[in-house]
Amino acid sequence: MCGFVCLWEIEDGGGTLLAAMLSRLGHRGPDATRIARLDDAPVAMGHCRLAIIGAEDGIQPIRADAEMLVANGEIYNHADLRAILGAENFNSSSDSEAILRLFRGGAQRWINRLDGMFAFVLATPERIVAARDPLGIKPLYMARRGKGLAFASELKAFDGFGFDDIGAVPPGTLFDSRAGLRTWYRIPAGAGAAEPGLDIDAVAGELRLALEEAVAKWMVADVEVGSFLSGGLDSSLVAAIAQKHRTGAGLGPLKTFAVGTAGAPDLLAARRVADHLGTEHHEFTFSAQDIADSLAHVVYHLESADLDLVRSAVPTLFAARLARRHVKAVLTGEGADELFAGYAYHHGYADDPRALADELTRSLGTMHNINLQRVDRMTMAQSLEARTPFLDRDLIAFAQSLPAQLKLRRTDPASAEATGPTTEKWLLRRACRDLLPEDLIWRRKAQFDEGSGTVEALRQALRLLTGSRDEVDPGRESKLYRDILRSRFAEPEMILAQAGQWNANRIAA
C-alpha cells in the first residue's frame, strides 16, 4: 500500500511542487520515498511506499526503458502473470511491475487481466495512462493545471496548489491522454427471485468455496496479515477462514483486533469469536476523551464531513492504530453487506427481490467514496494496509449471480418454511454455519459505530468539544465536522464537493 503523485506537462519548479504534494501523503508509505523523471517525456512521479510484496527490490517509480509507473495496492495474480509474461522480463519481485509488463505487451484489454485492488499511473514519452480497480478500493484523483494533468492518491495533495477540475477517476475506469476515459469493468447485474427447484445446499457450498478462495488470495504477502474482528458476522467469517488458512500452512495463530468502549457488545462478541477460533487477540478500549482528541485527525484524513461517515470512521481509526502495532496489513469484512443484503434498510425489500438485487448492485457501485474511502483513509493514516476479500472480483461475480431472494429471506433460521421474520445475509450464514457458534452465525447486525459503543461515547465527546451540557443535535454535529474540515484545508469546498452520500440514488423498495 502506498501513496503517489504524478505531474504531466506541468512545470514543478525544479521539483518543489511535486515534493510538497508528496509530503502530504507520507502516512501512506513510510518505508521509502522516491521522486523520478522520465527522459524525453514531460512527466515527474513521486512515490511513498509501504512495503508488503517485494520488500527488498520493489521501490517505485518503476522504470522500463522509456516508460515509468507508480502504483498503489496489490496485484494478487502477479505470480501467474509473471509466469505467463516470462519471469526473465521482470526486473524486481514487486507485484506492481506486472502492470507495466502487461501494458508493454500491447493487448487491447490488457488491464482486464489484473486481479486485485489498485490505482496506478503509467507514462511513456507520448502519453499518460491512469486506472483504478473495479470497485475503487484504492483511491485515485485527477486534476488539471493549464494543459497539464496531475494525479494523486488523496485530495489533500492538491489542496492550495492552484489545480482545477479536481475529481476522482471512477472505479473500473482507465484514462488515456490520447483517448480519454473508458470504462473497463462494470458490476454484474444482480439476480432477483430464485428459480424453482434450486438446490440451496449446492449453491451455499459453492459460495463457501468462493469465499475461502478469496480470503486465501487476499492473504498473499511477504509480511504477516492480521484481521479486524468486530464480533459481527462479516469480520468473524473472514477471521475464521484466515485462521484455517494459517493453520493449514503451518503458521502461528491469526492476529485479530477489536475496539470499543468498556463493555461494548462488539468487544464481548469479538472475544468469544477469538476464543472459539484460537486467534491471538488484541483489544483497545477507548473513551469519549479519546474520540474528542482524535476527531480533527479523523476528519482531516477522511477527507469528508459526512455525519455517518465520520461516525463510522472513529472506531476504524482506533482499530487501525491497534493493528499497526502488530502487523502491516489486515483483512476486513467490507463488502459483505452490499453483496448479501446486510443493512437494516434492506428489510424493506423483503417482498421485492428484483428491487433488492438492483439496490445491492447500486450500492456496490457507490462504495468507493463511502465505506471504502473510510477504510482506506483511516488505515492508511496509520500506515496500515486494509484488504477486503469480500470484494474479490470472482466472488463479486458469483455473489451477484445468486438470487437476492436467498440473501434476505423471510424465514426463521431454524425453519425451512418461508415464513417469519426476515433474516439478512441468510445464504451467507447458511454457507458458513459450521465456522462459528450458532448464536453468533445468526446474530443480528449492528452498525460498527453502534456495536462498538461509539454512538454514546461520541455524544459525550461532542459535549466536551462544544462545551455544551445538552446533547449536540445532528445539525450542530454536522456543522462541527464541516468547521473542522474547513480549518484544515486551504480549499475546503473542493474537498467537500467530492464527498459521497449514503442515500444517493437509492432504489425504491
Side-chain angles (χ1 to χ4, degrees):
M1 205 67 66
C2 310
F4 62 73
V5 173
C6 177
L7 301 179
W8 174 263
E9 294 190 337
I10 293 177
E11 173 57 46
D12 66 343
T16 57
L17 174 60
L18 186 67
M21 294 174 69
L22 190 61
S23 69
R24 305 253 181 100
L25 305 181
H27 51 278
R28 298 187 69 92
D31 293 337
T33 299
R34 184 183 179 192
I35 290 174
R37 290 166 175 77
L38 195 61
D39 296 337
D40 302 320
V43 64
M45 294 181 176
H47 190 270
C48 49
R49 184 175 187 233
L50 181 66
I52 302 293
I53 294 178
E56 298 300 322
D57 60 358
I59 194 167
Q60 297 188 38
I62 299 173
R63 300 186 63 165
D65 298 329
E67 295 150 356
M68 187 163 65
L69 168 82
V70 283
N72 170 29
E74 305 291 346
I75 307 301
Y76 294 118
N77 64 334
H78 73 98
D80 292 340
L81 292 173
R82 188 178 297 265
I84 293 169
L85 298 171
E88 69 279 2
N89 295 317
F90 285 71
N91 297 324
S92 74
S93 57
S94 169
D95 59 300
S96 295
E97 190 178 350
I99 301 170
L100 187 56
R101 300 301 166 183
L102 269 178
F103 172 79
R104 299 193 81 192
Q108 287 288 337
R109 302 193 69 225
W110 61 273
I111 190 172
N112 199 57
R113 298 174 67 182
L114 295 174
D115 184 6
M117 55 178 188
F118 55 84
F120 66 82
V121 181
L122 192 158
T124 77
E126 298 81 27
R127 64 201 276 217
I128 193 160
V129 176
R132 198 171 177 192
D133 65 64
L135 271 291
I137 300 171
K138 302 321 305 166
L140 179 60
Y141 295 94
M142 182 171 70
R144 297 183 183 274
R145 178 188 273 187
K147 296 187 298 182
L149 297 170
F151 301 85
S153 298
E154 295 184 15
L155 289 167
K156 57 180 62 67
F158 301 114
D159 184 44
F161 290 121
F163 289 99
D164 300 313
D165 299 328
I166 301 168
V169 174
T173 298
L174 181 144
F175 171 82
D176 188 326
S177 58
R178 297 198 307 198
L181 284 170
R182 72 175 177 89
T183 300
W184 67 270
Y185 175 87
R186 297 183 186 278
I187 298 171
E195 63 267 26
L198 180 67
D199 188 336
I200 293 177
D201 286 335
V203 170
E206 286 299 314
L207 172 57
R208 172 68 169 271
L209 291 175
L211 179 57
E212 292 196 355
E213 286 184 355
V215 172
K217 181 196 301 183
W218 287 59
M219 291 185 74
V220 172
D222 293 338
V223 299
E224 184 176 2
V225 179
S227 186
F228 285 166
L229 182 58
S230 71
L233 180 70
D234 310 332
S235 64
S236 297
L237 293 182
V238 169
I241 295 171
Q243 173 76 335
K244 284 180 57 179
H245 180 78
R246 286 186 63 85
T247 300
L251 302 173
L254 178 75
K255 290 182 173 68
T256 53
F257 308 97
V259 299
T261 57
D266 276 3
L267 275 183
L268 300 178
R271 203 173 299 161
R272 279 195 62 205
V273 173
D275 288 344
H276 177 78
L277 300 178
T279 68
E280 180 186 317
H281 192 55
H282 302 270
E283 295 181 354
F284 172 70
T285 301
F286 59 84
S287 66
Q289 188 62 58
D290 292 323
I291 295 177
D293 293 342
S294 300
L295 206 50
H297 183 79
V298 166
V299 172
Y300 173 71
H301 281 283
L302 184 62
E303 298 186 328
S304 174
D306 179 79
L307 186 146
D308 290 326
L309 204 58
V310 172
R311 288 176 175 177
S312 59
V314 169
T316 307
L317 176 70
F318 292 140
R321 283 178 176 170
L322 172 63
R324 189 60 179 90
R325 298 173 196 157
H326 304 274
V327 296
K328 294 177 74 171
V330 291
L331 303 171
T332 83
E334 256 65 42
D337 291 322
E338 287 78 7
L339 283 175
F340 297 103
Y343 291 119
Y345 82 91
H346 287 149
H347 289 272
Y349 297 85
D351 297 319
D352 192 345
R354 180 66 264 159
L356 175 60
D358 292 342
E359 170 57 17
L360 297 180
T361 303
R362 181 207 66 85
S363 62
L364 280 167
T366 65
M367 291 189 72
H368 63 282
N369 62 355
I370 305 176
N371 272 339
L372 292 177
Q373 179 169 322
R374 167 182 56 83
V375 172
D376 174 81
R377 301 301 197 281
M378 292 301 99
T379 54
M380 291 311 298
Q382 303 303 309
S383 304
L384 178 75
E385 176 174 293
R387 298 181 168 194
T388 55
F390 274 108
L391 296 179
D392 178 79
R393 192 168 159 189
D394 292 336
L395 181 55
I396 289 172
F398 185 73
Q400 284 290 90
S401 75
L402 301 174
Q405 190 175 18
L406 298 182
K407 298 176 181 181
L408 182 76
R409 186 164 181 177
R410 189 179 292 282
T411 177
D412 184 271
S415 170
E417 298 179 6
T419 58
T422 54
T423 300
E424 72 273 7
K425 292 186 282 200
W426 182 85
L427 186 63
L428 179 63
R429 296 173 193 269
R430 186 180 180 93
C432 300
R433 55 187 171 179
D434 61 310
L435 292 176
L436 300 169
E438 185 175 359
D439 63 317
L440 292 178
I441 278 288
W442 299 105
R443 180 189 181 211
R444 301 286 280 188
K445 177 182 174 61
Q447 296 296 115
F448 189 21
D449 55 340
E450 296 171 347
S452 64
T454 304
V455 172
E456 180 54 40
L458 181 58
R459 291 192 183 105
Q460 299 175 36
L462 292 171
R463 289 196 290 268
L464 290 172
L465 289 169
T466 61
S468 175
R469 293 183 179 180
D470 300 322
E471 183 170 334
V472 177
D473 62 61
R476 190 177 178 188
E477 181 184 354
S478 292
K479 182 179 183 302
L480 173 64
Y481 300 155
R482 291 194 299 272
D483 289 345
I484 291 173
L485 189 146
R486 288 191 173 99
S487 72
R488 298 298 302 270
F489 292 96
E491 300 178 74
E493 299 309 316
M494 176 270 291
I495 304 291
L496 290 168
Q498 302 296 324
Q501 302 294 322
W502 289 86
N503 299 328
N505 302 314
R506 183 173 289 179
I507 303 298

